[in-house]
Amino acid sequence: MLNDALRLSDSNRIDSLIKIGIATVLLCILSPLNIDIGMEVPLTLQSLLVVFFSVLFGWLNGSVPVLVYLLLGGFGAPVFADYNSGWDLFLGSSGGFLIGFLIAANIVGFLAEMNIMMKNLFALVLLALGQFILLVVGLYWLQGVTNEEFSWGVQLQAFMPGLAMKTAFGGIVFIGLHRTAKRLANQS
């Protein structure tokens, strides 16, 4: 967790509000984008971003943006994948993934706060764990909503390449921010 290392204000409350605002805006702007790289499952940044901010800022500053993002999408802002929105998505086949966003963000944020001296490898593990948690919640929900039996192995295999790419990308960004924070601390 780099919450203390990446200070944006001397006031803790203002610092938290700025981080929550930045994370919410980035979630809303980047999450609807669908990146087609020829995989079976389209690549979106939603699952990475919802856990990335919790790894970066901890439980509260990472989970509140996810909650705001979900509320905005529920009330009609086109912030979900493919610029979708609405409460009906929470009841349909993607509902488990949306609910999983908040579950994963909370768990990962809690674990990140337990490890104050965040090492880059631990951050990668948390990024992968968070995406895996929401994937399991989403697939479990999907199976319940469709009432169809499917092979968990096949489903996980379809999602794993994207999960691995997003985890690697998130890790690179985290390492870059970690190094920047260290450099700024050494200059102070």
Side-chain angles (χ1 to χ4, degrees), residues 19-34 44-54 57 60-73 77-84 97-98 101-102 105 134:
K19 288 173 181 171
I20 289 168
I22 290 170
T24 303
V25 167
L26 288 174
L27 266 168
C28 291
I29 291 172
L30 298 175
S31 291
L33 303 176
N34 226 343
T44 66
L45 294 177
Q46 287 174 306
S47 64
L48 170 62
L49 292 173
V50 297
V51 296
F52 181 79
F53 294 118
S54 288
F57 300 137
L60 185 64
N61 291 343
S63 295
V64 170
V66 176
L67 179 60
V68 172
Y69 164 76
L70 292 172
L71 289 171
L72 287 170
V79 295
F80 297 148
D82 290 329
Y83 298 95
N84 286 311
F97 294 99
L98 295 172
F101 290 162
L102 193 55
L134 73 90

Side-chain angles (χ1 to χ4, degrees), residues 30-138:
L30 298 175
S31 291
L33 303 176
N34 226 343
I35 304 164
D36 185 12
I37 56 174
M39 293 188 320
E40 183 179 342
V41 176
L43 189 68
T44 66
L45 294 177
Q46 287 174 306
S47 64
L48 170 62
L49 292 173
V50 297
V51 296
F52 181 79
F53 294 118
S54 288
V55 171
L56 194 62
F57 300 137
W59 172 76
L60 185 64
N61 291 343
S63 295
V64 170
V66 176
L67 179 60
V68 172
Y69 164 76
L70 292 172
L71 289 171
L72 287 170
F75 282 116
V79 295
F80 297 148
D82 290 329
Y83 298 95
N84 286 311
S85 64
W87 294 114
D88 57 321
L89 293 176
F90 287 86
L91 301 175
S93 59
S94 61
F97 294 99
L98 295 172
I99 293 165
F101 290 162
L102 193 55
I103 293 169
N106 278 290
I107 291 171
V108 167
F110 176 76
L111 293 173
E113 284 186 10
M114 291 182 68
N115 189 358
I116 302 294
M117 300 300 290
M118 179 73 73
K119 302 292 185 216
N120 295 331
L121 181 59
F122 188 65
L124 280 171
V125 169
L126 288 180
L127 289 171
L129 174 66
Q131 292 181 86
F132 187 75
I133 289 169
L134 73 90
L135 181 59
V136 169
V137 171

Side-chain angles (χ1 to χ4, degrees), residues 2 6 52 55-56 118-124 127 167-183:
L2 300 178
L6 296 173
F52 181 79
V55 171
L56 194 62
M118 179 73 73
K119 302 292 185 216
N120 295 331
L121 181 59
F122 188 65
L124 280 171
L127 289 171
T167 299
F169 177 71
I172 290 168
V173 173
F174 182 89
I175 290 167
L177 290 171
H178 192 209
R179 288 181 179 171
T180 300
K182 275 185 170 179
R183 203 172 320 121

Side-chain angles (χ1 to χ4, degrees), residues 2-21:
L2 300 178
N3 193 47
D4 291 335
L6 296 173
R7 298 288 300 179
L8 302 173
S9 171
D10 292 334
S11 164
N12 286 339
R13 286 186 183 173
I14 292 174
D15 183 67
S16 286
L17 288 173
I18 292 170
K19 288 173 181 171
I20 289 168

